[in-house]
Amino acid sequence: MASLRSARGLRALRRPLRPVQVTLLQTHLRPTACLGLLQPHHRAFSTPGGDFEKQLMPEDILHLRALSMTIMQDPICELRPEEVQSYLADHEDPIGDLPLWNPRRMLHQVLDPFRLRKLTVVRYHKLILERLDNEPLLEAFGIDAGFNMQAYFMILHAWLLHQRLVLEGSKAKKIDEELFEQCWNMARSWLVLKRVPEYRFDAELQNVQEYMLGACIAMDKALERPDVLPARVQQCLWANMYSGSVKKDHKGLMRLTKYMLRQLGLILQLDADRFLSGQFIWADFPVSDRVRKPLKLPEWRAKFRTEREEAIGELDLKSMGTRPASIEGPGKRPSLRP
């Protein structure tokens, strides 16, 4: 996807999604030592050609390094190894907790051999949904309840999980694919709830997918230069999440940059078995504890939140073996006709 289509925007949106073009950019001084794990290799969203760094002058690199140092001066960016233990979770698995010889467990192993993988994807999905409904965080980052920002915030968390899944190799490939399929299901649900006409539905969904994947590609390229990673991440977020509509020293943008670095540090430090089973939570991030008004949600978003509660219960039943079925969100592309 070397170039993203800009001519076709979502007319139903508050403003059209902007193409991802990062010019002077994105950064990093090693927020944590574990970021050294991210060696250059063919990533799932990589595109050939166009070495971005060749466009930079020496003074640009110096600027990015200085900005990266400024960002990394805040200790919240780094997550020490001993802190990781605070974000481990032990989720219930009624089938997996049964003895190996238990007939019910043996039956599920035969009838649903991919149950554990489905369970992991469900847990990842719930982690993303929790972030979308975390109003203190949304306020701290200046993220509204509109389609664009919600879509980007969702895909950024999927991207974080994707980084570790790529490092885990072939054993995590199917999990990675199903994770992004869940993201497309969610985007599809939102378009259904926004009452996008059926004759435009597929084109609009493809348009959203292109921009979301474009954001992932830009973030992937930010990892290619660890020495300027924090600044590059900041520029990616500025161009995508905020559509270039805020100043580059915007408080919400700076907080979100530090948040992404902190969560990336957590994801890379988790034990492989713990990560691949979804047995963790996001690292905490300081936000104001003042009394705030509930976020005013547009109709489609409020309805999605209501339906989500029902869908999560359904997801839990399916993934824990109570009923075998594929994972679907609340917007399973029903007919859009009344």
Side-chain angles (χ1 to χ4, degrees), residues 242-276:
Y242 298 94
S243 299
S245 62
V246 299
K247 293 182 179 179
K248 293 191 177 180
D249 61 352
H250 181 260
K251 289 183 178 179
L253 170 60
M254 296 301 291
R255 291 189 190 112
L256 182 57
T257 301
K258 296 172 184 178
Y259 170 86
M260 291 294 292
L261 296 173
R262 181 173 175 81
Q263 302 302 342
L264 184 59
L266 169 67
I267 294 299
L268 295 180
Q269 293 185 78
L270 287 168
D271 172 78
D273 291 339
R274 177 74 66 168
F275 174 76
L276 291 175

Side-chain angles (χ1 to χ4, degrees), residues 299-317:
E299 181 182 355
W300 68 269
R301 187 64 179 84
K303 190 172 182 180
F304 177 79
R305 179 177 289 185
T306 301
E307 293 187 0
R308 182 186 68 84
E309 298 297 331
E310 302 174 359
I312 285 297
E314 194 74 12
L315 287 173
D316 289 336
L317 290 175

